[in-house]
Amino acid sequence: MKEKAYAWAKALCYYAGENEAFLQRFWKALIQSEGVYREFIYYLEHQNFLCDHQIEGYSLVDIMIWQMDHFKAQLDRGRDDMKDNGDKMLLMAFDTMLQMEQDPMRYISRMQSETGTDYPGKYE
């Protein structure tokens, strides 16, 4: 399974436009995290989120929703590097969860305070 997981990580990085250095950093962190690795394998096998592993109550889906808010904000500003790139959004959710394990309060604070552009005057 580890070889299959690495091949998928490599493919995700390729389709997300990430380089070899990113892949190697991501893979090293992924195999060191039992919880995120289990989520990654589950998604690989089922194309769905397990949401068993949580950090301070936040799951991979919570991270994905938060990132989608950021994606919408980027589109509102005319930047769309993730437009039509579900692979990048998925990869970034896994990567963010790995980083969140190392510094949970940084991400929890951001997730609780940063939102998309759903209200008038946010960028004024």
Side-chain angles (χ1 to χ4, degrees):
M1 180 51 75
K2 201 172 196 178
E3 289 177 18
K4 188 175 179 180
Y6 180 79
W8 186 51
K10 186 174 182 177
L12 272 178
C13 287
Y14 173 78
Y15 290 115
E18 297 296 339
N19 61 23
E20 181 71 20
F22 180 93
L23 169 62
Q24 294 309 314
R25 181 195 58 76
F26 175 76
W27 181 250
K28 181 179 178 184
L30 184 65
I31 61 174
Q32 290 176 348
S33 171
E34 183 180 325
V36 181
Y37 183 74
R38 187 173 57 249
E39 296 282 339
F40 191 79
I41 296 300
Y42 186 88
Y43 194 92
L44 171 61
E45 293 177 331
H46 302 278
Q47 288 75 53
N48 203 347
F49 298 100
L50 178 62
C51 294
D52 186 47
H53 182 63
Q54 295 185 6
I55 301 169
E56 301 289 329
Y58 290 93
S59 72
L60 202 54
V61 169
D62 295 315
I63 292 169
M64 193 84 161
I65 290 168
W66 173 63
Q67 289 183 331
M68 289 169 95
D69 279 346
H70 281 266
F71 171 68
K72 289 187 287 183
Q74 293 296 321
L75 286 177
D76 289 348
R77 293 185 201 134
R79 294 180 287 206
D80 61 358
D81 71 325
M82 284 201 282
K83 185 177 183 181
D84 299 324
N85 195 337
D87 293 322
K88 184 165 187 146
M89 291 180 77
L90 181 63
L91 178 64
M92 292 302 111
F94 280 109
D95 188 55
T96 297
M97 185 168 238
L98 288 167
Q99 293 177 48
M100 191 174 177
E101 282 186 329
Q102 303 305 311
D103 188 2
M105 293 317 296
R106 175 179 176 219
Y107 288 92
I108 290 168
S109 171
R110 291 174 65 192
M111 289 172 68
Q112 291 176 349
S113 64
E114 295 176 5
T115 62
T117 56
D118 295 331
Y119 59 90
K122 181 171 182 175
Y123 293 107
E124 293 176 5

